[in-house]
Amino acid sequence: MILPSKHLPQDRALLTVGAAILKQMSHPLTVSALWEQMLCSSGEAKVQSHLRYDTFVLALDLLFLLGAIELRDGLVLRETP
């Protein structure tokens, strides 16, 4: 589920969804605002065409565990190296 495999297309892997999330984060957002932005954006149309909320949350969890995002005061922040 994290990486694409024989039975999981690349556009449904959590790393691909996480990358699409990071592309959308130009400034801190709430989780619900980020979800809406993911659904409305046209940049990663193939990813958003089938994106479910549970997959979105799992991708956020993965990004948090990798240290790519942080949650502060109810806002999701993109960590910069």
Side-chain angles (χ1 to χ4, degrees), residues 65-76:
L65 289 172
L66 293 173
I69 62 172
E70 186 177 331
L71 185 65
R72 265 193 237 145
D73 299 324
L75 297 174
V76 180

Side-chain angles (χ1 to χ4, degrees), residues 67-68 77-81:
L77 305 157
R78 184 175 179 172
E79 287 294 315
T80 55

Side-chain angles (χ1 to χ4, degrees), residues 17-68:
V17 176
I21 290 171
L22 288 175
K23 284 182 182 180
Q24 296 297 320
M25 294 187 64
S26 58
H27 58 282
L29 295 166
T30 63
V31 173
S32 58
L34 185 55
W35 170 246
E36 289 295 324
Q37 190 170 345
M38 286 293 294
L39 293 179
C40 295
S41 68
S42 59
E44 296 286 330
K46 193 170 182 182
V47 171
Q48 284 100 355
S49 66
H50 65 278
L51 185 61
R52 295 178 11 190
Y53 189 73
D54 59 337
T55 306
F56 170 75
V57 171
L58 286 172
L60 285 178
D61 289 342
L62 178 65
L63 290 173
F64 179 79
L65 289 172
L66 293 173

